[in-house]
Amino acid sequence: MFEESKLNLNKPEEAISIDPKNAVAKCQLPAGVSPIADYFSHTNELLTRFVRPELSNDAITLSLLLLGVVSAAEFYFRSILVQSLDICPFAAKHADRIQVPFGSIAYYGVKTRALGLSVFEHKSLAGASEIKSETTRLLGVSIQGSSSVSTALTGFDTLCELRHAAIHTRGYISSKAASELGISQEMLQRIEVSQVSAFELTKLSHNAVRSFNRFLVNSILERWIANKYLIGSWRKDKVAFSRLFNAFVFPEESRFSGDVKKTYENIQSDLISRSKK
């Protein structure tokens, strides 16, 4: 009987015993800040790790920045969509038949941000089409193709395509990605970003987050006014408006900072006039 022929072209695999518990740690989800404030806090901290001079032309390391920023943006979209369900009764009614995997509830818990991870357990929000479809599915809010938020989300798609290449094909641009990015398909290309261009690319994510945040808070506000959920009385509107404000405000970029009452007073006259119609 002949022995089996074998080619040993590389070293044999090692016998490895790994305990995954050594690679993870208990944690809690962000609390006390809005999703957009949490997003910018996280991405600003991330960016500080990539400003070192020795990384100025390190394309491989800088491409990992794209991964981190897209991940932060996706977490923002998950968080704000679910917080919108929590604060808007009309959105909650729209979504009352949406199913959530039972096992994910047991794992994440039922607090608002944890529930967001359950709702999107088997979904990705790393792309404009996914964000738009989930906004409609969960909240009943449509994003028009000609809107500024749609344009910002299209820019986010560019960043997501580059991130996809960095993760899945070691930086090489696939023919599909080249087509999506609008670059030449005549020859193979790969990600080659400088420090400056990497930082510029992160602005595509920032634009998408800012634009979506502004669009969604105004969509909810408009829905509330149309349904007379807000009537122009601070005493009666305070609780609902404060929850809306706290979910969407980014104090560092708001002309009202963290002052919820001053923000309310800015639109109060409009609330009163529309509530009388």
Side-chain angles (χ1 to χ4, degrees), residues 17-276:
S17 177
I18 297 293
D19 185 349
K21 293 194 294 292
N22 295 328
V24 298
K26 291 182 179 179
C27 67
Q28 293 183 341
L29 290 169
V33 295
S34 66
I36 187 172
D38 176 62
Y39 164 83
F40 278 104
S41 174
H42 179 81
T43 52
N44 287 339
E45 182 180 348
L46 184 64
L47 285 165
T48 62
R49 300 171 185 268
F50 289 85
V51 296
R52 300 197 304 271
E54 63 268 26
L55 297 180
S56 60
N57 292 298
D58 187 344
I60 294 176
T61 300
L62 288 168
S63 67
L64 299 179
L65 173 61
L66 309 184
L67 165 62
V69 171
V70 171
S71 176
E74 185 172 3
F75 187 76
Y76 158 80
F77 290 120
R78 291 171 185 263
S79 299
I80 196 60
L81 286 172
V82 175
Q83 283 205 34
S84 297
L85 286 176
D86 189 46
I87 65 176
C88 179
F90 308 104
K93 182 174 178 58
H94 173 83
D96 62 1
R97 294 185 180 276
I98 291 177
Q99 299 179 356
V100 177
F102 183 77
S104 67
I105 293 179
Y107 178 71
Y108 296 120
V110 295
K111 291 183 179 180
T112 301
R113 290 198 179 185
L115 185 60
L117 298 176
S118 297
V119 170
F120 302 109
E121 176 77 356
H122 303 296
K123 293 182 178 291
S124 168
L125 291 181
S129 61
E130 293 89 349
I131 295 165
K132 289 179 180 179
S133 64
E134 288 303 295
T135 302
T136 301
R137 182 178 78 97
L138 288 174
L139 309 182
V141 174
S142 298
I143 297 176
Q144 302 302 315
S146 58
S147 63
S148 61
V149 65
S150 182
T151 300
L153 290 175
T154 298
F156 182 59
D157 269 342
T158 297
L159 186 61
C160 290
E161 287 290 351
L162 293 172
R163 181 233 37 162
H164 188 277
I167 294 176
H168 298 289
T169 52
R170 216 179 69 193
Y172 293 103
I173 307 296
S174 68
S175 60
K176 176 181 177 297
S179 176
E180 294 289 339
L181 292 168
I183 61 179
S184 174
Q185 294 177 266
E186 295 180 359
M187 59 183 298
L188 181 63
Q189 300 181 74
R190 65 170 296 158
I191 298 174
E192 286 288 344
V193 289
S194 66
Q195 204 170 50
V196 172
S197 60
F199 290 168
E200 285 296 306
L201 284 167
T202 65
K203 293 179 181 180
L204 294 173
S205 178
H206 296 351
N207 277 349
V209 168
R210 286 189 174 106
S211 184
F212 188 82
N213 201 72
R214 185 176 63 253
F215 164 79
L216 193 52
V217 69
N218 285 315
S219 296
I220 293 174
L221 178 63
E222 182 60 32
R223 178 183 277 177
W224 285 8
I225 295 173
N227 286 277
K228 293 183 169 53
Y229 190 63
L230 296 179
I231 60 172
S233 166
W234 172 244
R235 182 176 62 84
K236 295 180 179 180
D237 294 343
K238 179 179 178 180
V239 172
F241 186 82
S242 294
R243 294 187 73 200
L244 180 70
F245 177 87
N246 290 331
F248 286 90
V249 70
F250 183 20
E252 293 181 23
E253 295 187 353
S254 169
R255 65 190 177 104
F256 302 108
S257 187
D259 193 326
V260 59
K261 188 174 182 181
K262 186 177 292 186
T263 305
Y264 179 86
E265 290 171 347
N266 186 62
I267 63 169
Q268 189 170 15
S269 60
D270 185 51
L271 292 177
I272 294 171
S273 62
R274 292 185 62 181
S275 68
K276 293 178 180 179

